[in-house]
Amino acid sequence: QSALTQPASVSGSPGQSITISCTGTSSDVGSHNLVSWYQQLPGRAPKLMIYEVSERRSGVSDRFSGSKSGNTAALTISGLQAEDEADYYCCSYAGGSTVIFGGGTKLTVL
Amino acid sequence: LQLQESGPGLVKPSETLSLTCTVSGGSISSSSYYWGWIRQPPGKGLEWIGSIYYTGSTYYNPSLKSRVTISVDTSNNQFSLKLNSVTAADTAVYSCARDYDSSGSFYEWGQGTLVTVSS
């Protein structure tokens, strides 16, 4: 079970939009609409932001959105703000009640 | 709902890592919720270790399956992790979390506890 593939880092200026990709296989991301995204601030527990590919958790800003095409899911953050600077992880159901995380992406707000 | 990990912060190589997660503010026997363990080595990414349903059904990461046992104690609203034959590579922050319907949607997390494997 190899980790889902995410870019190690992305960056953007305040107000811009960025997209973080999450590539899996036909056994995980491609087979189920069960991809979630987590935001992790330094020293903090991960926070669920998006579930079931594109459903935003209650209380999460609508600047965060999720999508999926084939074996690749994506998290888009629009109107980038300084407070968005964090590590982001994708997670996918992988069958047999197992899940798999992505390697994580560090978002820097310039 | 709150989750709190407890257990030794230091384990010797080749020994067994044992942690317990205590759930408060809700029942571990709630249907549709799975209870999971996730770890994060210092400076690295998240790794799902395994999950358990209140009935005792368990699901493990294939790469750790031979060394992992997760159990549940519904009377005390707790679930536990045992990882045997540990090495320095098992040094990580270990967190427990609640997953809705085994979907990978971990809504609530414990604060995490650092376990160091060292002699």
Side-chain angles (χ1 to χ4, degrees), chain A residues 11-77:
Chain A
S11 62
S13 299
Q16 289 185 331
S17 294
I18 63 95
T19 296
I20 299 171
S21 62
C22 170
T23 301
T25 69
S26 57
S27 297
D28 38 64
V29 175
S31 289
H32 315 279
N33 288 323
L34 293 173
V35 177
S36 51
W37 288 92
Y38 297 85
Q39 177 192 65
Q40 186 178 34
L41 299 171
R44 303 292 298 274
K47 173 187 176 183
L48 177 67
M49 307 293 280
I50 300 286
Y51 63 97
E52 293 177 6
V53 175
S54 59
E55 297 297 316
R56 200 177 304 113
R57 183 181 183 179
S58 177
V60 171
S61 170
D62 59 6
R63 297 185 298 105
F64 292 81
S65 62
S67 61
K68 192 187 87 165
S69 178
N71 296 339
T72 299
L75 173 71
T76 298
I77 308 174

Side-chain angles (χ1 to χ4, degrees), chain A residues 70-89:
Chain A
N71 296 339
T72 299
L75 173 71
T76 298
I77 308 174
S78 59
L80 208 56
Q81 298 179 2
E83 66 199 47
D84 299 331
E85 187 162 290
D87 292 328
Y88 290 85
Y89 293 89

Side-chain angles (χ1 to χ4, degrees), chain B residues 53-86:
Chain B
Y53 195 55
Y54 77 93
T55 57
S57 296
T58 51
Y59 311 91
Y60 299 130
N61 184 326
S63 66
L64 297 170
K65 188 174 183 177
S66 63
R67 298 194 292 131
V68 174
T69 301
I70 297 175
S71 58
V72 64
D73 179 355
T74 55
S75 61
N76 287 308
N77 234 28
Q78 297 177 327
F79 62 107
S80 298
L81 168 71
K82 290 188 185 300
L83 178 66
N84 59 37
S85 304
V86 297

Side-chain angles (χ1 to χ4, degrees), chain B residues 35-54:
Chain B
W35 305 90
W37 287 97
I38 298 103
R39 70 179 183 178
Q40 185 171 31
K44 296 187 178 181
L46 301 170
E47 180 179 34
W48 175 73
I49 300 170
S51 295
I52 191 165
Y53 195 55
Y54 77 93

